[in-house]
Amino acid sequence: MAKILGFPNQGSDQHNFEQLLGPHLEHLYRLAYRFAGTKPDAEDLVQDLLIKIYPRRGELDKVEKLRPWLARVMYNLFIDSKRRQNRSPIHLTIDNATDSEGSEPLDYLMSENLGPEDETARHIHNVHMLRSFEQLSHDHRMVLSLHDIEGYTLEEMTTILVCPIGTLKSRLHRARARFRGLLKTTLETQEIQ
Amino acid sequence: MMNCQENLRKLNDYTDALIDDADRRVIEAHLSSCEPCRTTYENEQSLREALRQLTIESPSSDFRERVFAKTYAHHARTKRFRYGMGLGGAIAASFFLMLTSNLFFKPTQNIQQFDIPGMTISLNEVHNVKLIFKSAQNLSKATFTIVLPPGLELDGYPDQSKISWEGQLQQGENLLVLPVIARNTGTGELTAYVTHNNKEKSFRLQMNINHHQESSLPHLAIQSV
């Protein structure tokens, strides 16, 4: 009776796929959450990514830098889904960014040894941070998510966002200024209420 | 001596560690002596730190299992739909080519060529091509390479015209089953290479791909070196 020669079949295929993608799932979910803004949308986005790349699983171990590659594919999927939602190309928001003046709105977060009242204040502040972040334009959220939150280098981001490094640097600068401005406005509105 | 304007222009790059050592030293010297610039720098750092602390909702507890399971289920459904497009979907879409060879590695690197056996298959159905390698001895670390003609792919490896892996041949008959799917009509050669210790042997099979599902059973080809 002939011996069966091993061929990379479906079972081992799935195993290899999970071995390769498993370590990146948590990171991909976090990034998807930054892109999409909600848990269901983030889970759907990661799901779409896996469905998209599964047919190419035989090539994945040859990808030199898998994490930025996955981020790029997921970013493209996100853009596609936004386009479908809007039924037209994305309109980029023009930010009239101005740096905040006066007291630094991040002071709460950087305080150490907080008491219970300060902890509550910190929680409220975190809510404001999220609210301000969500108000950022799509482009600004992307660069802050990738660079300042998830730690991608500018070089990696040029691949993910298909954008020159100089543009990314100035976009990052504007995004931070805009975020600071939005946070200040949110906090001031809260104080008035 | 750096002035505040110059310093502020480079502060973002400094905070992001994007400057060289010389610039870094100049900025640090300026920051140690200029309080307004130091405050700006601390604010920049605070912003980055605060962004990193932005919380998100955790994914569902079964997220990992679910996301993989759904991926496999999605592709299984797609595959069933694709194969069901032709009449062949109702018929067990497998038949076999018995390509037998007495695998005996002579001390030559030349690829052996023979009259090419052929088989006819239909579009969008999985056909199992079976190759039997007869080896005179156990061979570890043999490399198998399958090269596919345009329009033909191995099940589970779309858009890949060449697939290689390492395996073992045991003394006697060794069966290799290749599930192939035709995506386009035409004629081409499927070639299987077996390499061991820098010696190579190839097996060629002519593939005729038709629209119709009347696939022909290939003749039994016996090849020996």
Side-chain angles (χ1 to χ4, degrees):
Chain A
M1 189 174 171
K3 287 101 183 168
I4 310 293
L5 281 172
F7 176 69
N9 60 20
Q10 293 288 75
S12 63
D13 244 15
Q14 292 178 0
H15 176 73
N16 292 341
F17 186 65
E18 288 175 32
Q19 288 284 101
L20 208 56
L21 268 292
H24 299 288
L25 266 194
E26 189 189 328
H27 166 78
L28 289 170
Y29 170 80
R30 275 205 320 270
L31 194 58
Y33 194 99
R34 304 296 181 198
F35 288 175
T38 68
K39 174 178 159 179
D41 287 347
E43 290 188 346
D44 285 350
L45 189 53
V46 176
Q47 181 70 75
D48 290 347
L49 170 70
L50 263 58
I51 286 173
K52 173 94 175 172
I53 63 173
Y54 185 67
R56 296 180 65 184
R57 58 197 175 279
E59 303 164 48
L60 293 180
D61 59 351
K62 298 181 191 74
V63 177
E64 198 178 334
K65 290 177 180 172
L66 189 58
R67 186 167 287 195
W69 185 84
L70 291 167
R72 180 182 176 174
V73 177
M74 193 165 76
Y75 174 74
N76 288 341
L77 284 169
F78 175 67
I79 295 295
D80 288 346
S81 74
K82 292 301 274 184
R83 283 192 177 130
R84 278 196 302 275
Q85 278 172 19
N86 296 341
R87 295 174 184 236
S88 66
I90 287 176
H91 301 288
L92 299 177
T93 305
I94 299 168
D95 286 323
N96 299 315
T98 51
D99 283 315
S100 60
E101 291 172 4
S103 65
E104 173 56 42
L106 300 162
D107 287 347
Y108 271 120
L109 280 173
M110 298 314 295
S111 305
E112 291 179 0
N113 304 321
L114 299 176
E117 286 179 8
D118 290 329
E119 284 291 356
T120 307
R122 187 173 186 158
H123 171 73
I124 292 167
H125 201 85
N126 194 41
V127 171
H128 292 148
M129 291 271 297
L130 282 169
R131 199 169 291 162
S132 304
F133 189 76
E134 285 160 10
Q135 286 178 56
L136 286 170
S137 72
H138 165 86
D139 279 0
H140 286 175
R141 225 170 42 236
M142 290 300 123
V143 289
L144 288 180
S145 296
L146 288 164
H147 189 272
D148 285 3
I149 300 177
E150 296 301 335
Y152 282 90
T153 64
L154 284 168
E155 198 179 325
E156 288 170 332
M157 285 166 65
T158 59
T159 310
I160 297 167
L161 301 175
V162 194
C163 199
I165 204 159
T167 307
L168 288 175
K169 278 169 84 168
S170 53
R171 194 178 292 170
L172 253 178
H173 182 66
R174 285 198 303 272
R176 288 168 186 146
R178 177 68 174 150
F179 178 64
R180 191 180 269 112
L182 282 168
L183 185 58
K184 189 164 182 277
T185 307
T186 310
L187 291 171
E188 283 169 356
T189 309
Q190 174 70 17
E191 279 168 16
I192 291 165
Q193 288 170 349
Chain B
M1 185 77 180
M2 178 179 258
N3 62 35
C4 291
Q5 199 175 356
E6 279 178 282
N7 180 67
L8 290 173
R9 195 163 47 79
K10 292 185 174 177
L11 202 54
N12 264 300
D13 282 354
Y14 172 74
T15 314
D16 293 331
L18 294 172
I19 55 168
D20 56 34
D21 284 350
D23 274 348
R24 183 174 53 78
R25 279 193 292 273
V26 173
I27 290 173
E28 283 172 356
H30 180 83
L31 289 178
S32 66
S33 61
C34 176
E35 195 177 337
C37 281
R38 195 163 58 245
T39 304
T40 305
Y41 167 64
E42 285 166 0
N43 286 341
E44 283 295 325
Q45 275 195 314
S46 301
L47 181 74
R48 286 159 180 72
E49 183 59 34
L51 281 165
R52 277 193 290 275
Q53 287 177 14
L54 271 180
T55 53
I56 60 170
E57 275 184 275
S58 298
S60 312
S61 57
D62 63 345
F63 174 60
R64 183 193 165 97
E65 291 74 23
R66 189 160 43 83
V67 82
F68 281 118
K70 275 191 174 179
T71 300
Y72 306 141
H74 174 90
H75 284 286
R77 275 198 306 275
T78 309
K79 197 183 281 183
R80 275 200 298 277
F81 174 74
R82 218 163 49 199
Y83 301 157
M85 294 292 280
L87 287 171
I91 302 168
S94 71
F95 63 96
F96 312 106
L97 168 73
M98 301 298 289
L99 179 65
T100 308
S101 172
N102 186 17
L103 194 72
F104 181 75
F105 290 96
K106 287 185 173 178
T108 170
Q109 293 190 27
N110 294 335
I111 294 173
Q112 304 295 317
Q113 295 196 348
F114 308 94
D115 290 337
I116 306 173
M119 62 187 291
T120 302
I121 61 172
S122 50
L123 276 175
N124 298 321
E125 293 174 26
V126 179
H127 299 274
N128 283 327
V129 174
K130 290 187 175 181
L131 305 176
I132 292 181
F133 301 95
K134 229 182 221 178
S135 180
Q137 55 188 303
N138 289 337
L139 297 172
S140 61
K141 291 190 176 177
T143 303
F144 300 88
T145 303
I146 307 297
V147 179
L148 299 153
L152 194 68
E153 62 187 44
L154 279 177
D155 186 24
Y157 296 82
D159 305 321
Q160 289 189 60
S161 59
K162 184 178 176 182
I163 293 170
S164 277
W165 73 98
E166 205 171 76
Q168 290 184 350
L169 281 169
Q170 295 187 33
Q171 187 178 20
E173 288 187 346
N174 297 264
L175 174 67
L176 176 62
V177 181
L178 299 174
V180 298
I181 311 172
R183 298 292 181 216
N184 294 307
T185 55
T187 301
E189 278 183 23
L190 179 156
T191 312
Y193 295 91
V194 185
T195 313
H196 185 261
N197 281 348
N198 297 322
K199 300 176 186 70
E200 184 175 76
K201 180 162 179 168
S202 68
F203 302 88
R204 296 158 66 203
L205 175 64
Q206 176 137 336
M207 304 296 294
N208 305 307
I209 304 161
N210 288 337
H211 276 299
H212 311 294
Q213 65 135 136
E214 293 169 4
S215 306
S216 72
L217 279 170
H219 63 276
L220 181 68
I222 300 174
Q223 297 176 348
S224 59
V225 179

